[in-house]
Amino acid sequence: MTGSILRVGELRPNQLLHTYGVGSVADMPNLSVMVCGLDEWDRNGSREVPEARLLAAVRAKLRAPVEKLLTPPYTPETADPFDEWTRVGVPVTLFPRWLRCTNTKCGLLAPVETGVFELVTHPFSPDRIRYVHGCRGRGGGRPTAVPARFVLACAQGHLDDFPWLFFAHYGSVPEYSGHTLTLDEQGTTGDAASLWVRCSCGVPPRSMAQAIGEKMTPNLPRCRGRHPHLRSAQFAGCGEETRTLGLGATNSWFGMQLSAFTLPQADAEVDQRVAELWETLEVVADLPEDRGKKLMTRLACWGELEQYGVDEVWKAVQRRAESSGDDDQGDESDLMTPEWNAFTDPQPVRLPDFTTEKERPPVGTERWLEEVVLVTRLRKVSALYGFTRIDAPEWGEDAGDGGFAPISITRPTWVPCAEMRGEGIFLRFRDDELAAWEQCEDVRRRCEQLRAGHDRWRAQRRLEPGHWPGARYLLLHTFAHALIREFALESGYSAAGIGERIYAGTDTQPMAGVLLYTAAPDSEGTLGGLVTLGRRDRLGTLIEQALDAARLCSSDPLCAERDPREHGHLYGSACHACLFASETSCERGNHYLDRALLVDTVSDLGIGFLAAP
């Protein structure tokens, strides 16, 4: 907040990545604030999370010297309200800056800089911090001033206060002062058509319905290129068409994240921990033993290694140093191939953050299902590196194209991350069966239709052609969504709590697998309910039920007969009634789905990979 540091509310650390990340607007009880860029964050209270693969991928994506992954700073629940911990948190700034008096007889609309609204604070109750207006409403009290309901955004990720004066005067800014605006609501519907902006100069009032639309209305200005979360770099000169968004609209912020699973790097537990913390421990590897041990115990990561003893850790450091020169780093941005190799390893793994167990495929699935791997323990780390507005991120786009808004003014040396633990089921398909299916003429014809819709979708957004994921990806993705719905009915987890990871592969790296998992931010993760469904005696029945449900949609025949070419859709036979999942589950935003590639539908194309015999 301007002028002083005030505690205005509370958020869970994970929300600062998935819901209220940098550049997003968070609604507090009486305020609306925007999370500031990383340049203003105080890292006291943050914890470094070791995950070398993810760190390398973030560096490659941002093309920046990112050195650390840090959890958002947080205040412990047991902190004394008078303690210094109460100063720890994420910086925010008031946004939007225009406020409206809630007194129905007043309705004054003005920016906070005018001084007509007074900030009322409370030292130990953030929920009671608010702005008030001195007009004396019902009962003689000062009415609360609430944030204006509309903001202005563009597809380049900029966000700005709605131009109230400009809009009220039909596309021009008055040359003299003394204009007082009010926002009146007529009726009880609360929609934009019932809101009218009035000015004291006598210009005809204007309905907010005239500001709502897909594109910039004639009397809205072009984008000024403002990033309110980067307060010292607000105006960059954009000139794009603007769009009016309601405050709190779901398309006002889409976080861009990379995530990786912690993979085994050694057989012994102490060697695994040393490998995970190697970027910190590497500095002691070449020192003499006595000096190296002494310095090692003073490193920030020693608390995670102390249980193994100094001698055992030192031996593990030496083993790691001897083998590190032989490591093949490969493509730093490729997170999928190392995970695929770990899940398909013939030998089970027993490590604290990665434990696998082989399970035989269910009866009747041997033709197409090669193996089932129960992942009883896994650790997932996600990092936020940017965001978009209006349209969700375009998957497969190169970060160098600048297709997202930055989270800091300078090139970041760290990014916020979240650490979660859980469990999952990995299903590996038979590559030879999939390859033969991909060559079928009818399958190719269907994929041509889907690809035409994909090309049209990209053309409508002025994106370069390409980035088609292929028939294999669509099949695996559709199968994952069908199984997520069935698992949610049996496991006790909600469908929103089950995530997916699709391993579709390429010509040079053939992969064909699906990981369905659930994870939680606490230290233990989840309790095994999902893994139980992967047992041979249960998985076969669940797959059959999922395929039966996918054959018929309550929106058929409209769903089954949808032609993706007509409107440029990224999906074929799929909708909310049959396949769509929550945004927390799907890695592609419910795109690239088609029941016709998985099973026979009422359109009877006969190309489903798992169609009934």
Side-chain angles (χ1 to χ4, degrees), residues 331 334 337 340-341 431 472 504-511:
D331 184 0
D334 181 10
T337 301
W340 168 264
N341 294 335
D431 188 80
R472 179 175 299 204
T506 61
D507 294 337
T508 57
Q509 178 62 49
M511 293 188 287

Side-chain angles (χ1 to χ4, degrees), residues 270-271 274-275 277-278 281-287 292 296 299 302 305 310-324:
V270 61
D271 290 284
V274 167
L277 300 168
W278 184 243
L281 292 170
E282 189 176 9
V283 296
V284 305
D286 296 329
L287 298 177
M296 184 174 65
L299 296 176
W302 178 246
L305 298 167
V310 175
D311 292 335
E312 289 300 318
V313 174
W314 179 254
K315 293 177 183 178
V317 168
Q318 295 306 304
R319 288 194 293 269
R320 175 68 182 179
E322 292 174 2
S323 62
S324 60

Side-chain angles (χ1 to χ4, degrees), residues 178-232:
H179 293 262
T180 302
L181 298 183
T182 59
L183 186 63
D184 300 332
E185 183 171 357
Q186 298 179 357
T188 59
T189 61
D191 58 6
S194 65
L195 296 175
W196 292 81
V197 183
R198 304 176 188 275
C199 183
S200 59
C201 69
V203 66
R206 194 168 188 192
S207 170
M208 284 302 300
Q210 299 177 30
I212 307 297
E214 289 296 316
K215 295 185 177 180
M216 179 185 71
T217 64
N219 292 318
L220 285 182
R222 288 189 174 270
C223 180
R224 298 189 296 173
R226 187 179 181 215
H227 283 311
H229 65 292
L230 307 177
R231 289 187 280 192
S232 61

Side-chain angles (χ1 to χ4, degrees), residues 67-126:
E67 301 172 357
K68 295 180 180 180
L69 304 172
L70 298 178
T71 60
Y74 68 96
T75 302
E77 296 180 358
T78 57
D80 187 325
F82 297 95
D83 190 80
E84 281 299 315
W85 271 107
T86 59
R87 311 286 290 184
V88 174
V90 173
V92 297
T93 182
L94 185 70
F95 187 85
R97 308 290 296 179
W98 283 73
L99 306 179
R100 179 181 66 87
C101 176
T102 55
N103 182 1
T104 56
K105 295 182 178 180
C106 176
L108 177 66
L109 184 66
V112 68
E113 287 80 5
T114 60
V116 296
F117 302 112
E118 179 184 350
L119 180 63
V120 177
T121 65
H122 194 282
F124 307 117
S125 181

Side-chain angles (χ1 to χ4, degrees), residues 280 296 298-304:
T280 303
M296 184 174 65
R298 298 176 181 175
L299 296 176
C301 65
W302 178 246
E304 302 180 49

